[in-house]
Structure formats: C-alpha cells, structure tokens
Amino acid sequence: MRIRHALAGVALAICLVSPTELLAAGGKDAILSQRHKFDIAPQPLSSALRQLSSQSGVRILFPYDEVAAIRSRRVQGWLSTEDALERLLAGTALKHSEAGVGVIALAVPANRAAARRSPMAVQLAQANVSGASSAPVAMAPAAEAEDASAPIIVTGTRQSTRTVAESLAPIDVLGAKDLEASGKQSVRDLLGTLVPSINVSNSGAGASFAVKTLSLRGLAGDQLLVLVNGKRRHNTATLFINGTTQNGQSPPDLDLIPSSSIERIEVLRDGASAQYGSDAIAGVVNILLKNDTSGSASFLGGATADGGGEQGRFQVSKGFGIGDGGHVHFTLDAFLQGRTYRSAPNPGQFYARVGQLYSSTSGALDPREATVDRDVNKGGQPQVSGINFAYDVSLPINDMVEFYLFGTASRRHSDAWLTYRFPDAPNNIPELFPNGYSPHLHIYDEDFQTAAGVRGDLSDTFHYDVSSSFSRNWVKYRESSVVNASLGPASPTDMYIGSVTSREWTTNLDLQKTVELGLAEPLLIAVGGEYRWNSYAIGAGDPVSYIDGGYRSATGPNAGVLRTSGSQGVTGFPLSAAGEWSRDNWSAYLNLEQKIFDGLEVALAGRHEDYSDFGTTDTGKASIRIEPMHGLALRGTASTGFRAPTLQQQHYSSASTINVGGVLLPVSALPVDSAAAIALGATPLKPEKSKNLSAGIVITPTPRLNITVDAYQIRISDRILLSETLQGTLVRSVLAAAGITSSAGGFYFSNAADTRTRGLDIVSTWRAGLGDFGNAVFNLSANFNKTVFTHVDAVPDVLAGAGLVLIGRSKQGDFTKGTPRDKLIANILWTKGPASLNLRATRYGKVTMVHATNPALDAEIDPKVIFDLELGMELRKGIKLTAGANNLFNIYPNKLPATLQGNGFSLYNQYSPYGTSGGFYYGRLNFEF
C-alpha cells in the first residue's frame, strides 16, 4: 500500500506542474523511443491506454472524463511507444507531453470542456494540468507484478480485452517467469506441475513409451484441445497403447514444443467444442509463443538421486525487429535424457529343468540356476535425445494488414529396453543369445507444423484473420538385440519394424465485428469457418519382423516346438496392416458476447461440424457472469461437446508382446473394421458427445489477492474406450481365421460406455510485498475429481458366449481410480534483489491399478507429498545461476505385488503421477540479452 500511496503522491505532484515546465525539467525521455510489440484491439480508449501502459512499461496520466466516451482504433506491430500512442489518439483532441521519466500526460485544449465528470477520476487526481481543461486527470496503472487478475486472455473468448478475473469460465495463465521458476523442462511436465486439475501419465509400453500424455479433470489426453497461438495443434501419429490410464490416445505431443519459446500458456478448464471444435471436451490449452526482441540462453545439467536419468539441455531464444514494425523470434532447444534402471533382480526360471521341456515343472533344476546373473532387468525411464526449433514472425503490410508465420520442427530419438526373455524360452534362439536377451526398441520422430495467415481491420469495428496450417508427424520403429524365433538361427538381430505417419491441413476464416446496441458495451459478433483434412498411414516393416518362419529345433528343451513368430517386443507392421486413410471436415461457428450493464455479461456460441466419414454434429454453449459488487463475481456455463474418433483409433493395427497377468503374451490391436474385430463384436466408431455444466465464484478483494472456486460436471456418452485384452479359444480361432497366427489375444476400440465426471477446482494467488524482506507470491490450489461409469453396453453375444467382457474391471478402474482423486499444490516464490527461492509441495491422492479379474491384486499407490525446490542467484545483470530438485526427498510410489512385477521388470507401480525414477537434482545457468 505504501507503494501505491507514493505513486498517487507523484501523480498529484506532477499534475501541479504545467506541461511546459515538465518538458523543461525532464527533457526528451528515451523510453518513448523504445520499440515494443503492441497488440491493442479496438476498445474504449481508457482501457486501450491501460494496455499500452502494460505493453510498454510507461505510466500515463489522462483526463478520465474526456477519454471515457472515446473508442480507440487497433494498434498492432512493432512500434515506438510514441508512435503507438499517436495512433491511439488519432482523431481525438487529446495531446500528449512527457511528465518525467517514463510518464506521459494527456491533456485537451483549454477551450474544450469535459463531457462529463467521473467521481473515480476525481478521487484519483484532483488537481488540474495548467493550460488544459478543468477535467480531472487519472493515472493508467502500469502492469504490476502483484496484480493477480491483470493478464489479458485470448482463450475461451473472442474479446481481446478480457482479463483472467473477468473471464466467464475458469482459466489459468502461466507466464514465462512461472514456467522458468517451475523447475520443469518439458511443456507437459510444466502443466502437470503448475495446474492442479492436470495429471501426467508417465508410462507406456511397447511402441508408445516415447509419448507421455496428460489429462485435464480426469479425462483423456485427446479430450483436451491444444492450440498454439490460437491455432489447432496436430496430434501425434503414435497411438499410446499398452500403457496405463491413457490407453488408446493419440494426443498432441507437447514435448516437441520448446519451453523457452513460450511467452505464456492459457489453460481453459471448461468444455469449448462450440468455440473450437472437436477434442475440447475437457478444455483447451493455448500456447502463446514469444513475439518480442528479447534474448535468452540456458544450460541445464542434472541426474537422479539413485543413479541414471542424466539430463543435459541447451536452450537459446532470440527475437529481432524486421521491416517497419515487424519481428522474428527463433528458439532452439537441444536435449539429452539418460535412462534409469528401476527394476529388481529377475527371480524367474532361466533354464529348462534337466532332461525336460522348458515348460515342464518336473525334473531337477539346471545347476546354472544357482549361479546365473539375475540382474538382467532394465525397466525404467527411456533414453531420449532430440532437438526442437520454433519460430514466430509477423510483418505489417500496411497500417491495417499484418502477415504472420509461426511453427515448430523437431527430431527425436527415444530408446528403451523391453522385458527380458529367458535363454531356454520358446521366444529365444540360444545360438544367438545363449544368456537370453532384452529387446531394445528405438523410436525416431520427425515432426513439424507451420501456420501462416493474414489478419487486419476493415474498419475500427471489423477484424479478420485468414490462416492455414500444415503438419506432419512421422514415426519410425526399429528393434535391436531381438530375434524372430520362428526363423531360427538365421534370424537377424536388428529389424526395421515399420512406421506411422499423420498429416493435418487446417484452414480458418475468423471474422469479428462490434455493434453498438446502446448497452454497456458493444455487442461482439464472431463468425467463422474451418476446413480440416487429416490422413494417417502405416508403413510395413521388413518381412523378417513379422513373418512366421515355422522353425522347430531338433534338439534341446524346445525340440519340436513351433517357435514364436515376429520380432519380440513389438511385432513388425505386416503388409496386411499397411495403408493410408484420410478424411476431411468443415465447420462453421457463431459467437456472441455482450456486456448488458456493469455487473452482467453473457455469451453464446454455436458450431456445426460435417465429417466425411461419420456425418454431422451440432454443439452449443451459454455463459454468464454476474458481478454484484466490486471484487466478487459469479460465473457459470452450460455446453455440449463432441470428439471425433481419430484415424489412429479407427485403423491402427499391430501386435506387441506385453505382460498379461504376469505372463508375456503377443496380443494384437485390431482395427474396428477388420474381419477379426467384427467377428469379435466390433462396430464402427462414432463421436463421443458431452454435456458440461460449471459454476464458480471469483473473489478479488485486492489486486494482490485472487481466489476462484469452480464446480463442474461432465457427462460423456458413447465414450471411446479400448477393450480388455480378449483371450481364449474363441479369440485364437477368430484370429487364426483372419490370418493372425502369432497372437494369443487381441483388443479393439468401441463406444461401449457412458461416464460422468464431477469435481471442484480451487485456485488462489496472493502477491505479498514483504518490505525489506523482498516480495513473495503464494499459491494454494486444489482439484477434487471423481469419475463413474453410468452405463456400460451389454457384452456382444459372441463374447458373452465365451465368458468374456469388453469393458471390465481394469478398463473401468483406469478412469475411476487410475488418476488421483485429489491433488493439492502449495507454492511459495520469494524474491529479494538478485536472490530467489521457489518451494512447492504437491500432495497426490490415492491411485489404484485395478486388476482385470482379481480384486486382491488391485495395486494401490498411497497418498504422497512431493516437494520441489529451486534456489536462484543473479550473479550480475542478465546472468543467473540456479540449483534445484524435483522430488526433493526422493519419494517413490508403492512397489507392485510380486505377481504383477513381470519377474521384477516393473518394480514400482507405473500408475504413479510423479514417475518411478525418484528425485532429480539439477543446476542451470541462465543468460538474458
């Protein structure tokens, strides 16, 4: 408060001096010549001046009553503060003069009288500017760090002047400093750390271990829409399969966006299909890239407490001004992550009993069992190396039109060891691997997305944006240290498994116009359309990775036994699975936003979608915000949503060897339109549909304190789920009839269930000035969430007759118990001069891995509190040294029951929301230039 009183005193003192004296005293202020990236939409001039103040860092004194009745024009591009101000004031009688360093005073000619008086302006500044009218003068506040509700948002609204506190739906805004202080390096982990309603899945088996997914409000990763600069982000080609809670998803891969390229992230925690289209059932993550001329670089190195997991990361980001008001900003992110080993010694039987078949339980144990090296399991975090590149470009064509271009490009290599195969097992050839082997799976990602467009104004009230983006994600698979046992000793030990590729081309037209209706503010009308084309392709692997060579050895413990066919770990994509599929869709939307009077705002949205492969759908949304008194607001939304099945879910076909009830079995993912899936009861997929309700309260008693509480309910019908692993005589016969002889089971997607999710989000931020002890930001947030199945379809007759279930205990358990029922985050960020400290405690509620058939084998993860700590010191201007720890006290989740450990390969419960590698400790050196 002392700071505010001092500023008010300065303002009053300035107002007692004439503009001529001010100029004489201050001289030319260089700050007015500095160029900044301005983006100020047409709006009331008073709020436009506040945005200019925020975006330039200057303080502005203006005659409140004269300004209140004026609407400004759009100001956009790289401009000096003086040029931007002159564009705002064009056509008005207001004149500007410098009132000291970083302070500008506006005045009207002496012969103009104020149009009206404002008590608020009188309270702020009661003295007059000499030579100007008698209109009172008000100060436009600069963007203060303690204002928790000040950030302007662009997600969930077509308005460009709305702040977080004014939002009609709950939104989290994570600024660049929040991201830097989090101690996390990937975008996925940043979100999982800072947003209580987001949880991260840290496990995946087979071909999906390289992709990590996240869920918002307990829903699936692909029920969350990701935008970059407001444009749809493409999904990964990889299908997250054989994992944990997020099985069957192909979400956007957030780790391919360099974190240092991000200016801020906005997380809309509300259904938004009517505004943005498919996938926005849970909400929207909008990643906004840096668009300024700042520069930074960082070097990070670290490792885990118990060995392995070494990480090195280099990031550099720099912007440049180009042309007349344009910019270009580049970011490069190179990283290397070492693997961890978090397995137990393998207690299994390595060798066949003397004189018996390998599967025999009679006879004496082979003497080698007593001396064999059992430390053969290599389960844990994979090794990952890669490079990410991002760019953001804009170039004004003239005062009313701007061209823009942005995108990312990435290459990544991920590799992990899979489950160990025993020397005398039917899936090994002892001549090649006499001591057994662990398949080594390599995944190579090549990814890019680029978007370009033109935006501008046809008038002060009519804005347009035309854009198009294209993306491609190409993933190749290779296995080393592997055999196709059915080829015998002739089997190669290094095989190309195949590839998957997804492409997306999206074109948008967005139009916005404000119309005066005589209400508190003009009506905002936003209309637009979108055309989107998707394709998905599977490329076959080398024949040796999938053929059945029919090998039988003449001697040994597997004499006469038909050996397992296909490469172990992940079987190669056969020619029968290869192909390319595509679809397109178009949509049209209408959004209306209206402030009826001070304290009451409403918004309506509607959208029509037309898909080439499953028809049309319509969604709608209604929102209201009531502010009965300053600092207290009520808000609520009701909406319908949808999510179209991905092409991956419709067409993915592959086989993997996975742990099923403690036994390694090859199982196949069956496309819903395949002969085998249809014979097992599969039907064509259709879109998921949702009904979302939310209600909340926003409390902002002071600019330093902001509290939001939002309750929600999300009902999803026809939910797309991956089935249980179907096994047994019936399944084997169906697979054999379809030519699949290498798999012992299969699974497919279906719209077999309806769910209901209810929860509560609480987010509070207090920015405290501690006087001589510096400043602190206190955050306390929580999410409470529960999902139940309200309906499960009857089991298809063909499965019921064989005693099989489609969506059983384990699949339902993934959604009802597989993520924490509650998550609480307490965070303190303290700064004083060059020193900073960030301490965060996150409590994860109980998580349960539900067994498919036996409740006694349900594996729980007890509630745990994870502490993160980061200490920083600015060595000199622009150079900062930081030391930190994620999971400071090296906490691990519960170990799995021995029967579920896969002979010790998976020692810890993979459902852990904080991973299974323990504490990570790091140092980082940051430069700003």
Side-chain angles (χ1 to χ4, degrees), residues 818-867:
T819 55
R821 283 283 305 277
D822 52 81
K823 178 181 175 183
L824 291 83
I825 303 174
N827 196 101
I828 301 173
L829 173 60
W830 170 83
T831 57
K832 185 180 187 301
S836 64
L837 179 148
N838 191 53
L839 176 63
R840 178 174 50 252
T842 305
R843 183 192 183 276
Y844 296 93
K846 186 173 72 173
V847 176
T848 304
M849 183 179 77
V850 176
H851 192 267
T853 58
N854 188 354
L857 292 178
D858 289 352
E860 293 185 353
I861 300 177
D862 296 329
K864 297 285 178 64
V865 179
I866 306 298
F867 286 89

Side-chain angles (χ1 to χ4, degrees), residues 65-289:
D65 291 336
E66 287 290 342
V67 166
I70 302 173
R71 282 191 67 82
S72 70
R73 60 182 298 180
R74 178 178 293 275
V75 175
Q76 195 169 52
W78 278 93
L79 303 166
S80 70
T81 301
E82 187 171 23
D83 288 342
L85 182 60
E86 288 180 350
R87 294 190 185 191
L88 277 184
L89 301 182
T92 74
L94 294 163
K95 304 298 180 182
H96 68 86
S97 59
E98 298 177 40
V101 178
V103 181
I104 300 173
L106 305 185
V108 296
N111 59 355
R112 275 199 58 177
R116 56 180 179 175
R117 298 276 180 176
S118 167
M120 181 181 296
V122 173
Q123 292 169 7
L124 288 172
Q126 298 177 354
N128 298 327
V129 176
S130 176
S133 75
S134 59
V137 177
M139 176 173 280
E144 298 178 3
E146 68 267 16
D147 190 343
S149 59
I152 301 295
I153 59 172
V154 296
T155 309
T157 176
R158 304 291 174 177
Q159 290 273 15
S160 58
T161 60
R162 194 179 297 280
T163 67
V164 171
E166 297 169 343
S167 173
L168 278 68
I171 287 185
D172 299 303
V173 177
L174 310 176
K177 294 300 181 183
D178 298 317
L179 303 181
E180 180 183 325
S182 72
K184 305 295 183 178
Q185 297 304 304
S186 73
V187 176
R188 171 185 59 91
D189 288 337
L190 289 169
L191 290 169
T193 297
L194 299 176
V195 181
S197 55
I198 288 181
N199 284 291
V200 173
S201 175
N202 286 282
S203 69
S208 61
F209 68 80
V211 178
K212 304 297 186 289
T213 68
L214 54 81
S215 68
L216 175 64
R217 290 180 164 178
L219 300 185
D222 54 8
Q223 291 167 331
L224 172 66
L225 176 64
V226 176
L227 308 174
V228 176
N229 284 351
K231 309 301 180 183
R232 177 182 287 266
R233 180 72 176 179
H234 66 283
N235 289 3
T236 177
T238 299
L239 188 67
F240 188 80
I241 208 163
N242 302 333
T244 54
T245 59
Q246 299 295 309
N247 256 347
Q249 317 300 320
S250 294
D253 191 340
L254 295 177
D255 289 349
L256 299 181
I257 301 174
S259 60
S260 58
S261 70
I262 298 172
E263 177 62 31
R264 71 180 190 274
I265 301 176
E266 298 180 357
V267 181
L268 172 63
R269 292 176 276 117
D270 194 42
S273 293
Q275 295 161 294
Y276 297 105
S278 178
D279 305 343
I281 286 179
V284 177
V285 170
N286 190 9
I287 298 171
L288 301 165
L289 303 180

Side-chain angles (χ1 to χ4, degrees), residues 332-389:
L332 186 68
D333 174 18
F335 57 92
L336 173 64
Q337 172 188 283
R339 60 176 56 89
T340 59
Y341 298 105
R342 299 294 186 264
S343 298
N346 197 313
Q349 179 183 325
F350 280 56
Y351 303 98
R353 292 175 181 268
V354 177
Q356 303 292 327
L357 292 175
Y358 178 75
S359 58
S360 174
T361 58
S362 61
L365 285 175
D366 189 302
R368 291 175 293 177
E369 290 287 349
T371 59
V372 68
D373 180 7
R374 297 186 175 276
D375 191 16
V376 293
N377 287 330
K378 301 179 180 180
Q381 174 179 286
Q383 177 172 288
V384 184
S385 62
I387 187 167
N388 297 326
F389 175 68

Side-chain angles (χ1 to χ4, degrees), residues 276-491:
Y276 297 105
S278 178
D279 305 343
I281 286 179
V284 177
V285 170
N286 190 9
I287 298 171
L288 301 165
L289 303 180
K290 290 179 179 177
N291 59 4
D292 56 20
T293 59
S294 65
S296 65
S298 67
F299 302 86
L300 177 139
T304 62
D306 295 322
E310 299 86 0
Q311 186 175 145
R313 186 177 290 263
F314 167 69
Q315 296 180 316
V316 61
S317 180
K318 176 58 180 168
F320 306 90
I322 57 173
D324 183 14
H327 82 276
V328 57
H329 199 110
F330 297 116
T331 302
L332 186 68
D333 174 18
F335 57 92
L336 173 64
Q337 172 188 283
R339 60 176 56 89
T340 59
Y341 298 105
R342 299 294 186 264
S343 298
N346 197 313
Q349 179 183 325
F350 280 56
Y351 303 98
R353 292 175 181 268
V354 177
Q356 303 292 327
L357 292 175
Y358 178 75
S359 58
S360 174
T361 58
S362 61
L365 285 175
D366 189 302
R368 291 175 293 177
E369 290 287 349
T371 59
V372 68
D373 180 7
R374 297 186 175 276
D375 191 16
V376 293
N377 287 330
K378 301 179 180 180
Q381 174 179 286
Q383 177 172 288
V384 184
S385 62
I387 187 167
N388 297 326
F389 175 68
Y391 55 93
D392 187 281
V393 182
S394 72
L395 185 63
I397 298 173
N398 55 45
D399 287 348
M400 303 291 284
V401 182
E402 179 187 50
F403 168 78
Y404 62 90
L405 172 74
F406 64 88
T408 61
S410 303
R411 297 193 70 174
R412 181 177 64 192
H413 173 212
S414 309
D415 68 274
W417 296 95
L418 307 183
T419 312
Y420 176 75
R421 272 68 171 168
F422 293 106
D424 284 346
N427 51 20
N428 182 38
I429 300 299
E431 292 90 337
L432 296 175
F433 293 104
N435 298 315
Y437 66 98
S438 296
H440 194 184
L441 180 61
H442 301 260
I443 300 180
Y444 303 88
D445 271 281
E446 293 186 12
D447 181 276
F448 79 88
Q449 179 166 357
T450 186
V454 175
R455 59 193 172 207
D457 300 296
L458 298 178
S459 71
D460 287 348
T461 62
F462 198 159
H463 181 70
Y464 66 89
D465 186 341
V466 182
S467 66
S468 191
S469 72
F470 182 78
S471 63
R472 177 176 179 263
N473 181 240
W474 181 33
V475 185
K476 298 180 293 183
Y477 305 99
R478 181 177 67 86
E479 274 192 288
S480 58
S481 180
V482 70
V483 299
N484 179 344
S486 71
L487 297 176
S491 171

Side-chain angles (χ1 to χ4, degrees), residues 232 276 467-470 504-510 528-535 582-589 607-612:
R232 177 182 287 266
Y276 297 105
S467 66
S468 191
S469 72
F470 182 78
E504 185 170 299
W505 174 36
T506 305
T507 300
N508 294 89
L509 170 63
D510 300 292
E530 177 180 278
Y531 172 81
R532 188 164 78 253
W533 173 86
N534 297 89
S535 75
S582 66
R583 72 173 179 214
D584 62 344
N585 74 289
W586 65 268
S587 63
Y589 72 85
R607 192 180 194 95
H608 175 79
E609 296 262 356
D610 190 326
Y611 281 79
S612 61

